[in-house]
Amino acid sequence: MTGKVEKGVDFGIDEDDVVTANSLNKHLGRPTVVPFQGFNATADAEALRKAMKGFGTDEATIFQVLSRRTADQRMDILRAYKANFGK
């Protein structure tokens, strides 16, 4: 299996992946989250609102949106969420 899939989301994790000091060192100095191409803070805020509204939550959508946005992009989503939903 090339990636674990939960609720239709491919997390890109191989079952054989093992975290070691060497595998962590190769990532030092390189960002692990890069700016999302086609970023739209309002669309992301709406997707998050839909994922959290009502009974229960859609964790897969929340994870998919937030884990693939930089800190600056997440702040833009927060501002858009507050502007559109007042929370």
Coordinates of all heavy atoms in Angstrom, one line a residue:
M1 N 0.9 -1.2 0.0 CA 0.0 0.0 0.0 C 0.9 1.2 0.0 O 1.8 1.3 0.8 CB -0.9 0.0 1.2 CG -1.8 1.2 1.4 SD -2.8 1.2 2.9 CE -4.0 0.0 2.5
T2 N 0.6 2.2 -0.9 CA 1.5 3.4 -1.0 C 1.0 4.5 0.0 O 1.8 5.4 0.3 CB 1.5 4.0 -2.4 OG1 0.1 4.3 -2.7 CG2 2.0 3.0 -3.4
G3 N -0.2 4.4 0.5 CA -0.6 5.4 1.5 C -1.8 4.9 2.2 O -2.6 4.2 1.7
K4 N -1.9 5.3 3.5 CA -3.0 4.9 4.3 C -4.2 5.8 3.9 O -4.0 7.0 3.8 CB -2.7 4.9 5.8 CG -1.7 3.9 6.2 CD -1.6 3.8 7.7 CE -0.7 2.7 8.0 NZ -0.8 2.2 9.3
V5 N -5.3 5.2 3.8 CA -6.5 6.0 3.4 C -7.6 5.8 4.5 O -7.9 4.8 4.9 CB -7.1 5.5 2.0 CG1 -8.4 6.2 1.7 CG2 -6.1 5.6 0.9
E6 N -8.0 7.0 4.9 CA -9.1 7.0 5.9 C -10.2 8.0 5.5 O -9.9 9.1 5.2 CB -8.5 7.5 7.3 CG -9.5 7.5 8.4 CD -8.9 7.8 9.7 OE1 -7.9 7.2 10.1 OE2 -9.4 8.7 10.4
K7 N -11.4 7.5 5.3 CA -12.5 8.3 4.9 C -12.1 9.0 3.5 O -12.4 10.2 3.3 CB -12.9 9.4 5.9 CG -13.5 8.8 7.2 CD -14.0 9.9 8.1 CE -14.5 9.4 9.3 NZ -15.1 10.4 10.2
G8 N -11.5 8.3 2.6 CA -11.2 8.8 1.3 C -10.0 9.8 1.2 O -9.8 10.4 0.2
V9 N -9.2 9.9 2.3 CA -8.1 10.8 2.3 C -6.8 10.0 2.3 O -6.6 9.2 3.2 CB -8.1 11.8 3.6 CG1 -6.9 12.7 3.6 CG2 -9.4 12.6 3.6
D10 N -5.9 10.3 1.4 CA -4.6 9.6 1.3 C -3.6 10.5 2.1 O -3.3 11.6 1.7 CB -4.2 9.5 -0.1 CG -2.9 8.7 -0.3 OD1 -2.2 8.5 0.7 OD2 -2.5 8.4 -1.4
F11 N -3.2 9.9 3.2 CA -2.2 10.6 4.0 C -0.8 10.5 3.5 O 0.1 11.1 4.1 CB -2.3 10.2 5.5 CG -3.6 10.6 6.1 CD1 -4.6 9.6 6.3 CD2 -3.9 11.9 6.5 CE1 -5.8 10.0 6.9 CE2 -5.1 12.2 7.0 CZ -6.1 11.3 7.2
G12 N -0.5 9.7 2.5 CA 0.8 9.5 2.0 C 1.8 8.9 2.9 O 3.0 9.1 2.8
I13 N 1.3 8.0 3.8 CA 2.2 7.3 4.7 C 2.4 5.9 4.3 O 1.4 5.1 4.2 CB 1.6 7.4 6.1 CG1 1.4 8.8 6.6 CG2 2.5 6.6 7.1 CD1 0.6 9.0 7.8
D14 N 3.6 5.5 4.0 CA 3.9 4.1 3.7 C 3.9 3.3 5.0 O 4.4 3.7 6.0 CB 5.2 3.9 3.0 CG 5.2 4.5 1.6 OD1 4.1 4.5 1.0 OD2 6.2 4.9 1.1
E15 N 3.4 2.0 4.9 CA 3.4 1.2 6.1 C 4.8 0.9 6.5 O 5.0 0.6 7.7 CB 2.6 -0.1 5.8 CG 1.1 0.1 5.6 CD 0.3 -1.1 5.3 OE1 0.9 -2.2 5.1 OE2 -0.9 -1.0 5.2
D16 N 5.7 0.9 5.6 CA 7.1 0.6 6.0 C 7.9 1.8 6.5 O 9.1 1.6 6.9 CB 7.8 0.0 4.8 CG 7.2 -1.3 4.3 OD1 6.6 -2.0 5.1 OD2 7.3 -1.5 3.1
D17 N 7.3 3.0 6.6 CA 8.0 4.1 7.1 C 8.3 4.0 8.5 O 7.5 3.6 9.3 CB 7.2 5.4 6.9 CG 7.2 5.9 5.5 OD1 8.0 5.4 4.7 OD2 6.4 6.8 5.2
V18 N 9.6 4.3 8.9 CA 10.0 4.3 10.3 C 10.7 5.6 10.5 O 11.6 6.0 9.7 CB 11.0 3.1 10.5 CG1 11.5 3.1 12.0 CG2 10.2 1.8 10.3
V19 N 10.4 6.3 11.5 CA 11.1 7.5 11.8 C 12.3 7.2 12.6 O 12.4 6.6 13.6 CB 10.2 8.4 12.7 CG1 10.9 9.7 13.1 CG2 8.9 8.8 12.0
T20 N 13.4 7.7 12.0 CA 14.8 7.5 12.6 C 15.4 8.9 12.7 O 15.0 9.8 12.0 CB 15.6 6.6 11.8 OG1 15.9 7.2 10.5 CG2 15.0 5.2 11.6
A21 N 16.5 9.0 13.4 CA 17.3 10.2 13.5 C 17.8 10.6 12.1 O 17.7 11.8 11.8 CB 18.4 10.0 14.5
N22 N 18.2 9.6 11.3 CA 18.7 10.0 10.0 C 17.6 10.5 9.1 O 17.8 11.4 8.3 CB 19.3 8.8 9.3 CG 20.7 8.4 9.9 OD1 21.3 9.3 10.5 ND2 21.1 7.2 9.8
S23 N 16.4 9.9 9.2 CA 15.3 10.4 8.3 C 14.8 11.8 8.7 O 14.4 12.6 7.9 CB 14.1 9.4 8.3 OG 13.5 9.3 9.6
L24 N 14.9 12.1 10.0 CA 14.6 13.4 10.5 C 15.6 14.5 10.1 O 15.3 15.6 9.7 CB 14.4 13.4 12.0 CG 13.2 12.7 12.6 CD1 13.2 12.7 14.1 CD2 11.9 13.4 12.1
N25 N 16.9 14.1 10.1 CA 18.0 15.0 9.8 C 17.9 15.5 8.4 O 18.3 16.6 8.0 CB 19.3 14.4 10.1 CG 19.6 14.3 11.6 OD1 19.1 15.1 12.3 ND2 20.5 13.4 12.0
K26 N 17.4 14.6 7.5 CA 17.4 15.0 6.0 C 16.4 16.1 5.8 O 16.5 16.8 4.8 CB 17.1 13.8 5.1 CG 15.7 13.3 5.1 CD 15.6 12.1 4.2 CE 14.2 11.7 4.2 NZ 14.0 10.6 3.2
H27 N 15.5 16.4 6.7 CA 14.5 17.4 6.6 C 14.8 18.7 7.3 O 14.1 19.7 7.1 CB 13.1 16.9 7.0 CG 12.6 15.8 6.2 ND1 12.2 15.9 4.9 CD2 12.4 14.5 6.5 CE1 11.8 14.7 4.4 NE2 11.9 13.9 5.4
L28 N 15.9 18.7 8.1 CA 16.2 19.9 8.8 C 16.6 21.0 7.8 O 17.3 20.8 6.9 CB 17.4 19.6 9.8 CG 17.1 18.7 10.9 CD1 18.4 18.4 11.7 CD2 16.0 19.3 11.8
G29 N 16.1 22.2 8.1 CA 16.4 23.3 7.2 C 15.4 23.5 6.0 O 15.5 24.4 5.3
R30 N 14.6 22.5 5.8 CA 13.7 22.6 4.7 C 12.2 22.6 5.3 O 11.9 21.8 6.1 CB 13.8 21.4 3.8 CG 15.1 21.4 2.9 CD 15.1 20.3 1.9 NE 15.7 19.2 2.5 CZ 15.6 18.0 2.1 NH1 14.9 17.7 1.0 NH2 16.2 17.0 2.7
P31 N 11.4 23.5 4.8 CA 10.0 23.5 5.3 C 9.3 22.2 4.9 O 9.5 21.7 3.9 CB 9.4 24.7 4.6 CG 10.2 24.9 3.4 CD 11.6 24.4 3.7
T32 N 8.4 21.8 5.9 CA 7.6 20.6 5.6 C 6.2 21.0 5.1 O 5.6 20.2 4.5 CB 7.4 19.8 6.9 OG1 6.9 20.6 7.9 CG2 8.7 19.2 7.3
V33 N 5.8 22.3 5.3 CA 4.6 22.8 4.7 C 4.9 24.0 3.9 O 5.5 24.9 4.3 CB 3.6 23.2 5.9 CG1 2.3 23.8 5.2 CG2 3.3 22.1 6.8
V34 N 4.6 23.9 2.6 CA 4.9 25.0 1.7 C 3.5 25.6 1.3 O 2.5 25.0 1.5 CB 5.6 24.5 0.4 CG1 7.0 23.9 0.8 CG2 4.8 23.4 -0.3
P35 N 3.6 26.9 0.8 CA 2.3 27.6 0.5 C 1.5 26.7 -0.5 O 2.0 26.2 -1.5 CB 2.8 28.8 -0.2 CG 4.1 29.1 0.4 CD 4.7 27.7 0.6
F36 N 0.2 26.6 -0.2 CA -0.8 25.8 -1.0 C -1.1 26.6 -2.3 O -1.5 27.8 -2.2 CB -2.0 25.6 -0.2 CG -3.0 24.6 -0.8 CD1 -2.8 23.3 -0.8 CD2 -4.1 25.1 -1.5 CE1 -3.7 22.4 -1.4 CE2 -5.0 24.3 -2.1 CZ -4.8 22.9 -2.1
Q37 N -0.9 25.9 -3.4 CA -1.2 26.6 -4.7 C -2.7 26.7 -4.8 O -3.5 25.8 -4.5 CB -0.7 25.7 -5.8 CG 0.8 25.6 -5.8 CD 1.5 26.9 -6.0 OE1 1.1 27.7 -6.9 NE2 2.6 27.2 -5.2
G38 N -3.2 27.8 -5.3 CA -4.6 28.1 -5.5 C -5.3 28.4 -4.2 O -6.5 28.2 -4.1
F39 N -4.5 28.9 -3.2 CA -5.1 29.1 -1.9 C -6.2 30.1 -1.9 O -6.1 31.1 -2.6 CB -4.0 29.6 -1.0 CG -4.4 30.1 0.4 CD1 -4.9 29.2 1.3 CD2 -4.4 31.5 0.7 CE1 -5.4 29.7 2.5 CE2 -4.8 31.9 1.9 CZ -5.3 31.0 2.9
N40 N -7.3 29.8 -1.2 CA -8.5 30.7 -1.1 C -9.0 30.6 0.3 O -9.6 29.7 0.7 CB -9.6 30.3 -2.1 CG -10.8 31.2 -2.1 OD1 -11.2 31.7 -1.1 ND2 -11.4 31.3 -3.2
A41 N -8.7 31.7 1.1 CA -9.0 31.7 2.5 C -10.5 31.6 2.8 O -10.9 30.8 3.7 CB -8.4 32.9 3.2
T42 N -11.3 32.2 2.0 CA -12.7 32.2 2.1 C -13.3 30.8 1.9 O -14.1 30.2 2.6 CB -13.4 33.2 1.2 OG1 -12.9 34.5 1.5 CG2 -14.9 33.2 1.4
A43 N -12.8 30.1 0.8 CA -13.2 28.8 0.5 C -12.8 27.8 1.6 O -13.6 26.9 2.0 CB -12.7 28.3 -0.8
D44 N -11.6 28.0 2.1 CA -11.2 27.1 3.2 C -12.0 27.3 4.5 O -12.4 26.4 5.2 CB -9.7 27.4 3.5 CG -8.8 26.7 2.5 OD1 -9.2 26.0 1.6 OD2 -7.6 27.0 2.5
A45 N -12.3 28.6 4.8 CA -13.1 28.9 5.9 C -14.5 28.3 5.8 O -15.1 27.7 6.8 CB -13.3 30.4 6.1
E46 N -15.1 28.3 4.6 CA -16.4 27.7 4.4 C -16.3 26.2 4.5 O -17.2 25.6 5.1 CB -16.9 28.1 3.0 CG -17.3 29.6 2.9 CD -17.6 30.1 1.5 OE1 -17.5 29.3 0.5 OE2 -18.0 31.2 1.4
A47 N -15.3 25.6 4.0 CA -15.1 24.1 4.2 C -15.0 23.7 5.6 O -15.6 22.7 6.1 CB -13.9 23.7 3.4
L48 N -14.2 24.5 6.4 CA -14.1 24.2 7.8 C -15.4 24.4 8.6 O -15.7 23.6 9.4 CB -13.0 25.1 8.4 CG -11.5 24.8 8.0 CD1 -10.6 25.8 8.5 CD2 -11.1 23.4 8.4
R49 N -16.1 25.5 8.2 CA -17.4 25.7 8.9 C -18.3 24.5 8.6 O -19.0 24.0 9.5 CB -18.0 27.0 8.3 CG -19.5 27.2 8.7 CD -19.6 27.6 10.2 NE -21.0 28.0 10.4 CZ -21.4 28.4 11.6 NH1 -20.6 28.4 12.6 NH2 -22.6 28.7 11.7
K50 N -18.4 24.1 7.4 CA -19.2 22.9 7.0 C -18.8 21.7 7.8 O -19.6 20.9 8.2 CB -19.2 22.7 5.5 CG -20.1 21.6 5.0 CD -20.1 21.5 3.5 CE -20.9 20.3 3.1 NZ -20.8 20.1 1.6
A51 N -17.5 21.5 7.9 CA -16.9 20.3 8.6 C -17.2 20.3 10.1 O -17.3 19.2 10.7 CB -15.4 20.2 8.3
M52 N -17.4 21.5 10.6 CA -17.6 21.6 12.1 C -19.1 21.9 12.5 O -19.4 21.8 13.7 CB -16.7 22.7 12.7 CG -15.3 22.3 12.5 SD -14.2 23.6 13.2 CE -14.2 24.9 12.0
K53 N -19.9 22.2 11.5 CA -21.3 22.6 11.8 C -22.2 21.4 12.0 O -22.0 20.4 11.4 CB -21.9 23.5 10.7 CG -23.2 24.0 11.0 CD -23.7 25.0 9.9 CE -25.0 25.5 10.3 NZ -25.6 26.3 9.3
G54 N -23.1 21.5 13.0 CA -24.0 20.4 13.2 C -23.5 19.3 14.1 O -22.5 19.5 14.8
F55 N -24.1 18.2 14.1 CA -23.7 17.1 15.0 C -22.5 16.4 14.4 O -22.4 16.0 13.3 CB -24.9 16.1 15.1 CG -24.6 15.0 16.1 CD1 -24.6 15.2 17.4 CD2 -24.3 13.7 15.6 CE1 -24.4 14.2 18.3 CE2 -24.1 12.7 16.5 CZ -24.1 12.9 17.8
G56 N -21.5 16.3 15.3 CA -20.2 15.6 14.9 C -19.3 16.6 14.0 O -19.7 17.7 13.7
T57 N -18.2 16.0 13.6 CA -17.3 16.8 12.8 C -16.7 15.9 11.7 O -16.7 14.7 11.8 CB -16.1 17.3 13.6 OG1 -15.4 16.2 14.2 CG2 -16.5 18.3 14.6
D58 N -16.3 16.5 10.6 CA -15.6 15.8 9.5 C -14.1 16.1 9.7 O -13.6 17.0 9.1 CB -16.2 16.4 8.2 CG -15.5 15.8 7.0 OD1 -14.6 14.9 7.1 OD2 -15.9 16.2 5.9
E59 N -13.5 15.2 10.5 CA -12.1 15.4 10.8 C -11.2 15.3 9.6 O -10.2 16.0 9.5 CB -11.7 14.3 11.9 CG -12.2 14.5 13.2 CD -13.6 13.8 13.4 OE1 -14.0 13.1 12.5 OE2 -14.1 13.9 14.5
A60 N -11.6 14.5 8.6 CA -10.8 14.4 7.4 C -10.6 15.7 6.7 O -9.6 16.1 6.3 CB -11.3 13.3 6.5
T61 N -11.7 16.4 6.6 CA -11.7 17.7 5.9 C -10.9 18.7 6.7 O -10.1 19.4 6.2 CB -13.1 18.3 5.7 OG1 -13.8 17.4 4.8 CG2 -13.1 19.7 5.1
I62 N -11.1 18.7 8.0 CA -10.3 19.6 8.9 C -8.8 19.4 8.7 O -8.0 20.3 8.5 CB -10.8 19.5 10.3 CG1 -12.2 20.0 10.5 CG2 -9.8 20.3 11.3 CD1 -12.8 19.6 11.8
F63 N -8.4 18.1 8.8 CA -7.0 17.7 8.7 C -6.5 18.1 7.3 O -5.4 18.6 7.2 CB -6.9 16.2 8.9 CG -5.5 15.7 8.8 CD1 -4.6 15.8 9.8 CD2 -5.0 15.2 7.6 CE1 -3.3 15.4 9.7 CE2 -3.7 14.8 7.4 CZ -2.8 14.9 8.5
Q64 N -7.3 17.8 6.3 CA -6.8 18.0 4.9 C -6.6 19.5 4.7 O -5.6 19.9 4.0 CB -7.8 17.5 3.9 CG -7.3 17.5 2.5 CD -7.9 16.4 1.6 OE1 -8.9 15.8 2.0 NE2 -7.3 16.2 0.5
V65 N -7.4 20.4 5.2 CA -7.3 21.8 5.0 C -6.1 22.4 5.8 O -5.2 23.0 5.3 CB -8.6 22.6 5.3 CG1 -8.4 24.1 5.3 CG2 -9.7 22.3 4.3
L66 N -6.2 22.1 7.1 CA -5.2 22.8 8.0 C -3.8 22.2 7.9 O -2.8 23.0 8.1 CB -5.7 22.7 9.5 CG -7.0 23.5 9.7 CD1 -7.4 23.3 11.2 CD2 -6.8 24.9 9.4
S67 N -3.6 21.0 7.6 CA -2.3 20.4 7.5 C -1.5 20.8 6.3 O -0.3 20.6 6.2 CB -2.3 18.9 7.7 OG -2.9 18.3 6.5
R68 N -2.2 21.3 5.3 CA -1.6 21.7 4.0 C -1.5 23.2 3.8 O -1.4 23.6 2.6 CB -2.4 21.0 2.9 CG -2.2 19.5 3.0 CD -2.8 18.8 1.8 NE -2.5 17.4 2.0 CZ -3.4 16.4 1.8 NH1 -4.7 16.7 1.4 NH2 -3.1 15.1 1.9
R69 N -1.6 23.9 4.9 CA -1.5 25.4 4.8 C -0.4 25.9 5.7 O -0.2 25.4 6.8 CB -2.8 26.1 5.2 CG -4.1 25.6 4.4 CD -4.0 25.8 2.9 NE -5.3 25.5 2.3 CZ -5.6 24.3 1.8 NH1 -4.8 23.3 1.9 NH2 -6.8 24.1 1.2
T70 N 0.3 26.9 5.2 CA 1.3 27.5 6.1 C 0.7 28.3 7.2 O -0.5 28.5 7.2 CB 2.2 28.5 5.3 OG1 1.4 29.6 4.8 CG2 2.8 27.8 4.0
A71 N 1.5 28.7 8.2 CA 1.0 29.4 9.3 C 0.3 30.7 8.9 O -0.7 31.1 9.4 CB 2.1 29.7 10.3
D72 N 0.9 31.4 7.9 CA 0.4 32.7 7.4 C -1.0 32.4 6.7 O -1.9 33.1 6.8 CB 1.3 33.3 6.4 CG 2.5 34.0 7.0 OD1 2.4 34.3 8.2 OD2 3.5 34.2 6.3
Q73 N -1.1 31.3 5.9 CA -2.3 30.9 5.3 C -3.4 30.6 6.3 O -4.6 30.9 6.2 CB -2.1 29.8 4.3 CG -1.4 30.2 3.1 CD -1.1 29.1 2.1 OE1 -0.9 27.9 2.5 NE2 -1.1 29.4 0.8
R74 N -3.0 29.9 7.4 CA -4.0 29.6 8.5 C -4.5 30.8 9.1 O -5.7 30.9 9.5 CB -3.4 28.6 9.5 CG -3.2 27.2 8.9 CD -2.8 26.2 9.9 NE -1.6 26.4 10.6 CZ -0.4 26.0 10.3 NH1 -0.3 25.2 9.3 NH2 0.6 26.3 11.1
M75 N -3.6 31.8 9.3 CA -4.1 33.1 9.9 C -5.1 33.8 8.9 O -6.1 34.4 9.4 CB -2.9 34.0 10.2 CG -2.0 33.5 11.3 SD -2.9 33.2 12.8 CE -3.4 34.9 13.2
D76 N -4.8 33.7 7.6 CA -5.8 34.3 6.6 C -7.1 33.5 6.7 O -8.2 34.2 6.6 CB -5.2 34.2 5.2 CG -4.1 35.1 5.0 OD1 -3.9 36.1 5.8 OD2 -3.3 34.9 4.0
I77 N -7.1 32.2 6.9 CA -8.3 31.5 7.1 C -9.1 31.9 8.3 O -10.3 32.1 8.3 CB -8.0 29.9 7.1 CG1 -7.5 29.5 5.8 CG2 -9.3 29.2 7.5 CD1 -6.9 28.0 5.9
L78 N -8.3 32.1 9.4 CA -9.0 32.6 10.7 C -9.7 33.9 10.5 O -10.8 34.1 10.9 CB -7.9 32.7 11.8 CG -8.4 33.3 13.1 CD1 -9.5 32.5 13.7 CD2 -7.2 33.5 14.0
R79 N -9.0 34.9 9.8 CA -9.6 36.2 9.5 C -10.9 36.0 8.6 O -11.9 36.7 8.9 CB -8.6 37.1 8.9 CG -7.6 37.6 9.9 CD -6.7 38.7 9.3 NE -5.7 38.2 8.4 CZ -4.5 37.8 8.9 NH1 -4.2 37.8 10.1 NH2 -3.6 37.3 8.0
A80 N -10.8 35.2 7.6 CA -11.9 35.0 6.7 C -13.1 34.3 7.5 O -14.3 34.6 7.3 CB -11.5 34.1 5.5
Y81 N -12.8 33.4 8.4 CA -13.8 32.7 9.2 C -14.5 33.7 10.1 O -15.7 33.7 10.1 CB -13.1 31.6 10.0 CG -14.1 30.6 10.6 CD1 -14.5 29.4 10.0 CD2 -14.7 30.9 11.8 CE1 -15.4 28.5 10.5 CE2 -15.6 30.0 12.4 CZ -15.9 28.8 11.7 OH -16.9 28.0 12.3
K82 N -13.7 34.5 10.8 CA -14.3 35.5 11.7 C -15.2 36.5 10.9 O -16.3 36.9 11.3 CB -13.3 36.2 12.5 CG -12.7 35.4 13.6 CD -11.7 36.1 14.4 CE -11.1 35.3 15.5 NZ -10.2 36.1 16.4
A83 N -14.7 36.9 9.7 CA -15.4 37.9 8.9 C -16.7 37.3 8.4 O -17.8 38.0 8.3 CB -14.6 38.4 7.7
N84 N -16.7 36.0 8.0 CA -17.9 35.4 7.4 C -18.9 34.8 8.4 O -20.1 34.8 8.2 CB -17.5 34.3 6.4 CG -16.9 34.9 5.2 OD1 -17.5 35.8 4.5 ND2 -15.7 34.5 4.8
F85 N -18.4 34.4 9.5 CA -19.2 33.6 10.5 C -19.2 34.3 11.9 O -19.9 33.8 12.8 CB -18.8 32.2 10.6 CG -18.7 31.5 9.2 CD1 -17.5 31.1 8.7 CD2 -19.9 31.3 8.5 CE1 -17.5 30.5 7.4 CE2 -19.9 30.7 7.3 CZ -18.6 30.3 6.7
G86 N -18.4 35.3 12.1 CA -18.5 36.1 13.3 C -18.0 35.3 14.5 O -18.4 35.7 15.7
K87 N -17.2 34.3 14.4 CA -16.7 33.5 15.5 C -15.2 33.4 15.5 O -14.6 33.4 14.5 CB -17.3 32.1 15.5 CG -18.8 32.1 15.7 CD -19.4 30.7 15.7 CE -20.9 30.8 15.9 NZ -21.5 29.5 16.0

